[in-house]
Amino acid sequence: MEFKLFKVSGYEEAIMSLRMSKGKYYSWGNALDIQRLVYAVTDQQGFIASEEEYSAKMEILGGAPGKLTGDYETDVAEFERLLQLTFKAAMEDKHHTLMKYIDISFFTEGLHRGAQDDLDAHAIAFNNRITRFSTRLAEIDNVKLSEWYQDKVIPIYEVMKRLGVLENHLPAEVFMGHNETKFILTPFGYVLEKFAQVPAKNGLAKDVQRGLMPLGIASNALWKIDFFNLRYVYSMRSKLTKANPELKLGMEQLADQIELLVPVFGSYFRKVFTDSGHWEHVNKVRTITSEQYQQIKPVLGHS
């Protein structure tokens, strides 16, 4: 099972959003300059580009148009300076809308369907930008459990197959119901004969067979969400929550990649800026009443 950070976008919109709110820093020319800067210093995934990638992009731009200097370190530093101003307003001053301009897309590979459902519970945060491996559209010929389940449960069909029960004791077909309807044995269970081809080739047969597929089946998906809402989803599914164990592992994988690869904002992905002026893990912050605050003010040194 693996969570893979795929792409980060929207830096220039986040930067220009801050400039727009202050008015005097906006102009169409400045917007184009920032767009060119972001293009030059980031790679196709939205991470900081290598010096070689930067040089290749400068050739495409025809030199150093606008406010680009042509010097890799100088232009990267300017990008990070602008992003730092945006970061301060967004995460310290709590102008959260700025974070919503930054989009994060990632893949989940081998996550079991039950954990997908737990992550999908926050579909509104993703603005429904979720596409999952479909048990209705894909051709599936066996039950492959996610890694987390593989040493914890065994589907009954696998046990019976290993013990030779299928060949020796379990009938290949059974007749059930008032009309003695014929059902065929499949890797998922018994299925009405006309829907029993494995892997299923038509939509209706797939619809029928998926009814026997377990929540532990490994699955893949593509997800896209803005930075602000991803921090919220993380706070609900991190290792410090009561979320599904495999999902918690995946969310921490994703958080590690964001911290490493997303400039400026990434280092604080797991954290919130408290009223006491400190950064703290989002799951370690507690809300207190005004009366409780009055009691601890002397300890905090607040007047």
Side-chain angles (χ1 to χ4, degrees):
M1 186 280 299
E2 192 171 4
F3 279 45
K4 295 181 176 179
L5 178 60
F6 184 58
K7 187 176 182 180
V8 186
S9 61
Y11 297 123
E12 52 267 68
E13 289 95 332
I15 293 169
M16 286 310 302
S17 178
L18 175 62
R19 293 184 155 220
M20 179 64 72
S21 64
K22 295 191 174 182
K24 64 180 179 179
Y25 296 108
Y26 167 75
S27 75
W28 177 248
N30 283 341
L32 295 179
D33 283 341
I34 290 172
Q35 188 176 54
R36 283 189 287 263
L37 175 65
V38 173
Y39 168 76
V41 303
T42 59
D43 63 16
Q44 70 273 13
Q45 290 182 274
F47 312 149
I48 295 295
S50 67
E51 191 165 355
E52 291 74 19
E53 290 171 319
Y54 168 83
S55 297
K57 289 189 173 185
M58 292 303 292
E59 288 187 15
I60 293 172
L61 290 171
K67 294 182 180 179
L68 285 166
T69 67
D71 181 76
Y72 173 73
E73 292 185 1
T74 300
D75 286 340
V76 169
E78 174 61 8
F79 168 61
E80 291 181 339
R81 183 188 72 83
L82 293 172
L83 210 54
Q84 184 68 42
L85 293 172
T86 310
F87 161 82
K88 183 181 184 304
M91 297 186 71
E92 291 186 9
D93 300 336
K94 304 187 188 310
H95 297 301
H96 294 154
T97 299
L98 298 173
M99 284 187 276
K100 293 187 176 183
Y101 283 96
I102 300 175
D103 273 335
I104 307 279
S105 57
F106 62 96
F107 286 92
T108 54
E109 295 182 352
L111 182 69
H112 74 275
R113 275 306 285 255
Q116 271 192 351
D117 292 345
D118 292 344
L119 189 53
D120 190 66
H122 296 285
I124 193 169
F126 288 86
N127 198 23
N128 292 317
R129 293 178 293 178
I130 304 168
T131 303
R132 301 189 288 183
F133 170 83
S134 174
T135 54
R136 185 175 190 268
L137 299 178
E139 294 183 6
I140 303 172
D141 59 7
N142 64 84
V143 175
K144 180 182 178 182
L145 297 176
S146 72
E147 290 178 3
W148 192 81
Y149 276 110
Q150 285 176 12
D151 62 351
K152 299 176 180 68
V153 299
I154 306 175
I156 189 66
Y157 180 88
E158 289 297 320
V159 175
M160 298 173 77
K161 184 167 65 174
R162 293 178 191 180
L163 295 176
V165 174
L166 294 181
E167 294 80 3
N168 301 324
H169 300 91
L170 205 60
E173 56 189 48
V174 296
F175 296 85
M176 303 287 288
H178 297 299
N179 298 322
E180 289 295 297
T181 306
K182 185 177 181 180
F183 290 79
I184 305 296
L185 180 63
T186 76
F188 318 110
Y190 283 94
V191 177
L192 190 65
E193 182 179 27
K194 66 179 179 179
F195 301 128
Q197 180 185 5
V198 177
K201 298 295 183 180
N202 68 69
L204 188 54
K206 292 176 181 178
D207 276 327
V208 171
Q209 291 183 21
R210 75 195 299 220
L212 292 171
M213 294 179 190
L215 286 176
I217 192 170
S219 185
N220 303 329
L222 170 62
W223 314 74
K224 188 168 186 176
I225 186 171
D226 66 73
F227 192 82
F228 172 78
N229 276 303
L230 183 55
R231 291 173 75 241
Y232 163 73
V233 173
Y234 172 79
S235 75
M236 302 299 291
R237 297 291 185 259
S238 82
K239 66 181 180 181
L240 299 180
T241 68
K242 296 181 180 180
N244 172 270
E246 189 174 46
L247 178 54
K248 291 194 288 186
L249 289 172
M251 290 304 295
E252 295 302 331
Q253 286 180 10
L254 181 62
D256 287 343
Q257 294 169 70
I258 290 173
E259 286 189 350
L260 178 65
L261 297 168
V262 178
V264 181
F265 281 84
S267 298
Y268 296 87
F269 175 72
R270 289 178 164 105
K271 301 175 181 179
V272 292
F273 192 66
T274 67
D275 291 336
S276 61
H278 298 88
W279 288 98
E280 183 58 82
H281 190 285
V282 63
N283 292 121
K284 294 183 178 180
V285 175
R286 297 293 180 264
T287 302
I288 62 174
T289 66
S290 59
E291 290 182 357
Q292 291 170 325
Y293 174 64
Q294 293 300 324
Q295 292 174 4
I296 66 172
K297 276 176 66 175
V299 179
L300 297 174
H302 293 181
S303 56

